[in-house]
């Protein structure tokens, strides 16, 4: 009986000290473990509500698409909870170019339209592609290159969830051609010729 009482007291003590949540203190610097926690006395219900996904993103741009994130930077309440969301808007022929999320797996749910999506495995470079319709769901494993294209004639909308409050993003085309990496090195490392590299740099704003 005495042992049971001691165990109960230990469990109760541990649970009473555990934090229910860790709303991000965004004024400080984030790190791979997340943001520092705001004092509970400073937290309100609005920290657990995000209304930005109800508005369509602006698709008037080079990719004819928009991503509206609900990551920890926009939605402090998800800090430390291992999840986040975003809204995708794609005009006809719009594309979310080949990219990767180093910190999270992704789950995509098609709300409207038709989206062709796919990813490439890292071991055998196997391609997994499917045209999704309203109501379909597709998963993209963490860190793998993937893309989404609107193959329909109307604007497409999808909601995506991530397994991390800050999934990270690296778009392949921008990583190659939107910076000052020299054309010479790009040509050697991508097997593209000089004209192709310079054309892509000009389109995406790169130099060198």
């Amino acid at each position: 009986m005495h042992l049971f009482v001691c165990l109960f007291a230990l469990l109760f003590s541990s649970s009473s000290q555990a934090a229910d949540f860790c709303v991000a203190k965004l004024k400080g610097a984030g790190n791979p473990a997340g943001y520092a926690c705001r004092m509970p006395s400073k937290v309100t219900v609005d920290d657990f509500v995000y209304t930005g996904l109800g508005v369509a993103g602006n698709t008037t741009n080079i990719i004819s698409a928009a991503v509206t994130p609900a990551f920890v930077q926009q939605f402090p309440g998800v800090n430390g909870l291992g999840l986040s969301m975003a809204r995708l808007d794609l005009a006809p022929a719009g594309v979310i170019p080949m990219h990767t999320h180093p910190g999270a797996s992704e789950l995509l749910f098609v709300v409207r339209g038709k989206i062709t999506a796919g990813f490439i495995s890292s071991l055998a470079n196997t391609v997994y592609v499917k045209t999704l319709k309203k109501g379909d769901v597709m998963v993209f494993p963490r860190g793998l290159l993937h893309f989404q294209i609107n193959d329909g004639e109307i604007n497409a909308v999808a909601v995506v969830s991530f397994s991390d409050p800050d999934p990270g993003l690296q778009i392949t085309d921008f990583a190659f051609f939107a910076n000052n990496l020299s054309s010479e090195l790009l040509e050697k490392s991508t097997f593209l010729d000089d004209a192709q590299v310079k054309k892509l740099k000009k389109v995406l704003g790169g130099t060198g």
Side-chain angles (χ1 to χ4, degrees), residues 21-26 35-36 38 46-50 70-81 165:
F21 48 77
C22 177
V23 173
K25 186 189 294 184
L26 296 177
Y35 285 83
R38 196 181 306 170
D46 290 332
D47 293 311
F48 303 103
V49 178
Y50 183 71
F71 301 159
V72 64
Q73 294 85 357
Q74 298 82 28
F75 193 8
V78 301
N79 188 49
L81 299 183

Side-chain angles (χ1 to χ4, degrees), residues 3-206:
L3 178 62
F4 174 79
V5 172
C6 290
L7 287 173
F8 179 81
L10 178 63
L11 290 171
F12 180 79
S13 175
S14 298
S15 62
S16 65
Q17 295 176 15
D20 292 322
F21 48 77
C22 177
V23 173
K25 186 189 294 184
L26 296 177
K27 290 184 179 179
N31 59 64
Y35 285 83
C37 303
R38 196 181 306 170
M39 291 292 294
S41 60
K42 303 292 186 180
V43 173
T44 73
V45 66
D46 290 332
D47 293 311
F48 303 103
V49 178
Y50 183 71
T51 59
L53 300 188
V55 179
N58 181 7
T59 59
T60 307
N61 52 56
I62 190 173
I63 62 174
S64 298
V67 178
T68 305
F71 301 159
V72 64
Q73 294 85 357
Q74 298 82 28
F75 193 8
V78 301
N79 188 49
L81 299 183
L83 48 80
S84 58
M85 297 184 71
R87 170 179 172 145
L88 306 184
D89 288 278
L90 298 97
V95 57
I96 306 296
M98 194 73 72
H99 64 283
T100 181
H101 302 290
S105 297
E106 175 181 343
L107 200 64
L108 178 145
F109 172 72
V110 181
V111 177
R112 182 176 188 262
K114 184 170 64 173
I115 296 174
T116 295
F119 66 89
I120 303 170
S121 74
S122 64
L123 293 177
N125 289 318
T126 304
V127 179
Y128 300 90
V129 178
K130 184 78 172 181
T131 297
L132 310 171
K133 61 183 185 301
K134 179 180 177 179
D136 289 344
V137 175
M138 185 170 182
V139 66
F140 305 91
R142 175 179 177 172
L144 296 187
L145 289 167
H146 59 287
F147 65 91
Q148 292 96 19
I149 300 173
N150 182 354
D151 268 340
E153 297 180 354
I154 63 171
N155 288 353
V157 179
V159 173
V160 292
S161 63
F162 298 94
S163 61
D164 193 274
D166 189 8
L169 171 66
Q170 186 171 41
I171 300 175
T172 308
D173 291 337
F174 288 87
F176 285 162
F177 306 110
N179 53 39
N180 63 352
L181 182 60
S182 73
S183 297
E184 180 183 1
L185 289 176
L186 276 171
E187 291 157 24
K188 291 178 178 179
S189 60
T190 63
F191 305 110
L192 297 173
D193 63 36
D194 185 65
Q196 291 172 315
V197 168
K198 288 181 177 176
K199 175 184 177 182
L200 289 166
K201 277 182 169 287
K202 182 177 181 180
V203 170
L204 298 177

